[in-house]
Amino acid sequence: MWGPLVPWTVAWAAWAAAAGRAVPEAAGASRACGRAPLCLNESSLQQGCCERERGAASFSAWGLSSESLLDPFPIDPIQENYVRNVRNCIFSVAYPTPFKSRVLLVAVSKEVLEDILDLDISVKEKVDFLQFVSGEKVTPGSVPLAHRYGGHQFGIWAGQLGDGRAHLIGVYTNRHGERWELQLKGSGKTPYSRNGDGRAVLRSSVREFLCSEAMHYLGIPTSRAASLVVSDDDVWRDQFYNGNIKKERGAIVLRLAKSWFRIGSLEILARSGELDLQRRLLDFVIQEHFPSIAVNDSNRYLEFYSTVVLQTANLIALWMSVGFAHGVCNTDNFSLLSITIDYGPFGFMDSYDPNFVPNTSDDERRYKIGNQANVGLFNLNKLLQALKPLLDPRQKQLASQILEEYGKHYYIRFTELFKTKLGLLGENEDDNYLIAFLLKLMEDTKADFTMTFRQLSESTEDQLKELHIPEEFWALQDLAKHKLFSEWVTRYLLRLNRNKGDSDTKRRRRMATVNPRYVLRNWIAESAIRKANLNDFSEVHLLQQVLQHPFQRQQAAEKAGYSQRPPAWAKDLKVSCSS
Ligand code: AMP
Ligand code: MG
């Protein structure tokens, strides 16, 4: 099925004919590439090849489609790949630019391949698959697209942004009937690349690959990651914006989401007065992703807005419940489906600190962890501004009232999650106080966020009663240094006694399913990245395994120190926007 000229031309020709346009020449990305051989090690090609071919035979018949994105929307009529201001469309056709050098497939997510993409894990051995995930070939029937969006960056309208280094390579509907949009990130320039090179480096790709999957296993709505490819192509980055430009290696993540539309997808259309197109986009999003909203309901945009407000509050409360700071909460990084997208300089907080800022480029500390809920409000207000031209005066007023409720939704969800983290059942008017009291003790003592909750889950009531904190409970030992610790414990134990039908064993078991033992701390990611830079991907693989079961104690993770106090060098770690 994989011809030297990929049969995307068939789909393209059909679309172009319908649109009355000439069929363009095949872009470089779709040609069989006459460059250095792709790296499947030779022995794997010689021995056992036939076996693997059999195992992954289905890949030649597997494919994506772009119809569901090409049909409803006008496409940018310009087909050349150069940076420009684009209008009157949602997507531009843009082909990935293959790397020039050797390409290695260094990690895949078995679950994503098998459970979402219906592929056998053995597909990772196939040359075609490597060509697919590295942007060298597109599957028959798909037309790669770059999405036009805008956004408010750090509070200021930034104009056109768009997929500057991502290609939406098609849609896959799997055996469960789920529709997934596949994107390559780091796959070359598009009309939206502005001054960028269209690439992503290995360190940030490792982080996105690992973290998006980790978030999924923590139960947090997120994009997923199927594969990680690294090349030997030079990519130049000034990692800390201090003039120290260094050569790094280009990498590509194949990532998936039910939809990649963002608040910025609507903002750009509202700003440029393309209201008909905005309506079409909204109707599409509602029809595809908000099944409870009737597409012909005159209040559908209001209902859509109300759902996004609720779900965004939920998402941010979930982030807070695991100590996750996104790092760049611009409106272009906020999904209309309220899933976590665009992993950049994110961070899981070690010591509890509401002022924790994972992104060292964020001088104003705008996206500090304690400000995420406020930033959610800011972004939802920008969404409201974008929707206003489509609402009548009564709906506008109702939409403003919906937004006013955001804080309440957030607070309710935050409280629910933290009550669950503390193993509290039922209602008690002092629950918020108990939570706030604990967080204040954690802040004062700089206790570790993740392990304080985990070690509370692992402590028996008797241990707490006697204020006997075993040495291995290092986070609780830090917390216990606070002079009000025993007062908090007394209140906590009294509250646990009010849990109806509970036992200490049940409480600990319950808490251990919501308080992770392992999260992708910066130092852990950094350790894996340092090895990956030396072509040792063993820690990436280990982390994939560990983070798939964040609530289960695992020997390999314990040996690696992932539940231990972060090493001293972790304090000096910096993550910037550069990626
Ligand atoms: P981000 O901060 O990664 O969410 O990106 C913000 C905007 O910058 C988006 O429009 C990206 O596509 C674009 N962008 C970021 N890095 C690059 C790059 N290396 N090349 C081209 N565009 C980029
Ligand atoms: Mg982004």
Side-chain angles (χ1 to χ4, degrees):
M1 287 287 267
W2 297 86
L5 279 176
V6 182
W8 66 268
T9 43
V10 179
W12 172 262
W15 171 77
R21 292 184 196 102
V23 178
E25 276 199 10
S30 65
R31 288 196 199 102
C33 187
R35 59 186 165 78
L38 293 166
C39 193
L40 282 178
N41 68 52
E42 295 209 348
S43 61
S44 82
L45 281 174
Q46 283 155 14
Q47 356 145 340
C49 173
C50 299
E51 246 166 65
R52 260 185 299 275
E53 287 288 329
R54 265 200 305 278
S58 57
F59 191 60
S60 51
W62 185 90
L64 306 174
S65 153
S66 304
E67 263 170 42
S68 64
L69 297 171
L70 288 173
D71 288 349
F73 307 118
I75 305 289
D76 178 6
I78 301 175
Q79 289 139 24
E80 290 96 316
N81 192 5
Y82 65 92
V83 173
R84 57 184 178 270
N85 251 318
V86 180
R87 282 185 63 93
N88 302 314
C89 72
I90 304 290
F91 294 107
S92 301
V93 172
Y95 277 78
T97 305
F99 289 120
K100 295 191 186 72
S101 63
R102 183 182 68 142
V103 183
L104 286 166
L105 175 60
V106 293
V108 292
S109 160
K110 185 172 185 293
E111 296 62 38
V112 173
L113 291 183
E114 296 193 341
D115 299 345
I116 298 182
L117 295 177
D118 301 330
L119 289 167
D120 190 278
I121 182 73
S122 57
V123 76
K124 66 181 182 170
E125 308 290 344
K126 298 204 73 168
V127 178
D128 280 354
F129 184 70
L130 178 56
Q131 291 175 325
F132 168 67
V133 294
S134 57
E136 182 162 344
K137 281 187 178 175
V138 296
T139 73
S142 68
V143 178
L145 302 167
H147 173 41
R148 170 188 173 223
Y149 59 80
H152 279 83
Q153 297 190 313
F154 293 88
I156 293 161
W157 174 245
Q160 175 180 298
L161 299 166
D163 290 332
R165 52 168 167 174
H167 292 84
L168 206 173
I169 53 172
V171 177
Y172 184 72
T173 304
N174 68 17
R175 63 188 186 283
H176 311 297
E178 298 164 347
R179 180 190 171 283
W180 288 87
E181 295 179 358
L182 278 70
Q183 262 198 2
L184 295 178
K185 179 169 174 181
S187 39
K189 286 191 190 178
T190 76
Y192 307 97
S193 296
R194 297 181 295 157
N195 297 322
D197 57 7
R199 293 299 181 195
V201 292
L202 181 57
R203 62 183 153 77
S204 62
S205 305
V206 165
R207 284 167 55 87
E208 171 145 8
F209 178 78
L210 287 176
C211 195
S212 58
E213 285 300 284
M215 291 287 267
H216 169 72
Y217 290 106
L218 286 169
I220 298 177
T222 176
S223 60
R224 305 290 304 271
S227 64
L228 172 65
V229 154
V230 63
S231 75
D232 283 338
D233 278 27
D234 297 344
V235 175
W236 296 87
R237 288 288 181 271
D238 184 353
Q239 191 179 347
F240 299 112
Y241 303 111
N242 59 4
N244 191 7
I245 300 173
K246 281 202 186 135
K247 191 164 80 180
E248 301 191 48
R249 280 190 293 168
I252 293 179
V253 172
L254 171 59
R255 56 185 201 168
L256 289 72
K258 298 267 173 79
S259 167
W260 288 101
F261 290 126
R262 305 125 194 278
I263 292 181
S265 306
L266 294 169
E267 279 183 293
I268 196 160
L269 300 174
R271 286 250 165 184
S272 56
E274 296 168 55
L275 300 189
D276 181 48
L277 198 47
Q278 195 190 350
R279 223 173 263 121
R280 281 163 78 171
L281 177 56
L282 262 170
D283 287 342
F284 174 84
V285 170
I286 290 171
Q287 181 153 14
E288 289 285 341
H289 305 290
F290 294 77
S292 64
I293 303 177
V295 280
N296 49 4
D297 183 340
S298 60
N299 282 324
R300 62 191 181 282
Y301 300 150
L302 208 54
E303 286 184 39
F304 162 80
Y305 185 60
S306 168
T307 312
V308 180
V309 168
L310 256 179
Q311 290 183 349
T312 301
N314 174 49
L315 179 68
I316 299 178
L318 280 166
W319 287 353
M320 298 303 284
S321 75
V322 293
F324 175 82
H326 179 284
V328 192
C329 298
N330 294 334
T331 55
D332 50 301
N333 290 336
F334 259 46
S335 145
L336 291 179
L337 268 50
S338 310
I339 59 173
T340 315
I341 56 167
D342 282 18
Y343 289 81
F346 64 84
F348 284 89
M349 145 176 91
D350 293 327
S351 295
Y352 178 76
D353 176 8
N355 292 316
F356 169 62
V357 182
N359 173 11
T360 46
S361 325
D362 182 1
D363 299 329
E364 290 169 27
R365 309 176 82 79
R366 178 180 174 87
Y367 296 138
K368 64 183 181 186
I369 196 163
N371 204 31
Q372 292 190 122
N374 288 331
V375 165
L377 179 64
F378 177 92
N379 290 351
L380 289 166
N381 185 39
K382 293 300 169 197
L383 175 59
L384 174 59
Q385 300 314 317
L387 292 176
K388 272 189 174 165
L390 306 182
L391 304 176
D392 64 30
R394 185 191 61 92
Q395 290 172 328
K396 278 183 202 161
Q397 201 190 348
L398 288 171
S400 299
Q401 286 167 9
I402 288 169
L403 184 58
E404 277 168 26
E405 298 284 289
Y406 162 82
K408 191 184 79 190
H409 294 311
Y410 172 77
Y411 189 59
I412 290 173
R413 194 65 186 115
F414 179 94
T415 306
E416 259 171 24
L417 289 165
F418 277 79
K419 273 178 67 179
T420 312
K421 283 175 81 66
L422 285 175
L424 310 184
L425 299 177
E427 299 297 321
N428 191 286
E429 58 183 22
D430 289 339
D431 286 348
N432 281 315
Y433 181 75
L434 191 69
I435 295 164
F437 193 164
L438 173 63
L439 294 178
K440 177 74 179 118
L441 297 192
M442 288 168 70
E443 185 179 351
D444 289 351
T445 55
K446 298 190 167 48
D448 188 85
F449 178 79
T450 304
M451 290 312 280
T452 296
F453 281 100
R454 181 68 190 192
Q455 290 166 1
L456 279 175
S457 320
E458 293 174 355
S459 300
T460 63
E461 269 188 47
D462 286 343
Q463 283 173 326
L464 290 172
K465 215 172 281 166
E466 289 157 25
L467 295 178
H468 168 70
I469 313 289
E471 206 178 318
E472 59 162 313
F473 289 177
W474 54 272
L476 277 190
Q477 287 216 337
D478 288 350
L479 191 74
K481 291 189 184 121
H482 203 289
K483 61 178 191 297
L484 298 178
F485 177 69
S486 65
E487 186 186 329
W488 182 81
V489 168
T490 307
R491 284 174 178 270
Y492 182 47
L493 291 172
L494 274 172
R495 176 60 181 84
L496 287 181
N497 278 339
R498 295 210 187 101
N499 279 350
K500 287 214 176 81
D502 206 11
S503 71
D504 197 38
T505 314
K506 279 195 209 163
R507 174 203 50 100
R508 279 182 285 135
R509 209 175 283 150
R510 206 169 54 240
M511 285 173 68
T513 63
V514 293
N515 291 310
R517 195 167 167 87
Y518 314 112
V519 292
L520 186 63
R521 295 170 187 267
N522 256 353
W523 76 266
I524 296 177
E526 180 64 19
S527 168
I529 289 164
R530 286 181 188 174
K531 291 182 188 129
N533 280 334
L534 302 170
N535 278 327
D536 170 2
F537 291 89
S538 58
E539 194 160 6
V540 171
H541 299 151
L542 172 65
L543 283 167
Q544 281 187 276
Q545 297 309 316
V546 168
L547 297 172
Q548 219 179 85
H549 306 285
F551 304 106
Q552 275 171 32
R553 183 188 280 261
Q554 296 162 60
Q555 225 173 26
E558 295 303 311
K559 197 165 154 230
Y562 295 158
S563 65
Q564 292 305 309
R565 195 184 284 284
W569 59 266
K571 290 207 171 52
D572 302 325
L573 274 180
K574 288 186 191 160
V575 186
S576 76
C577 268
S578 149
S579 58

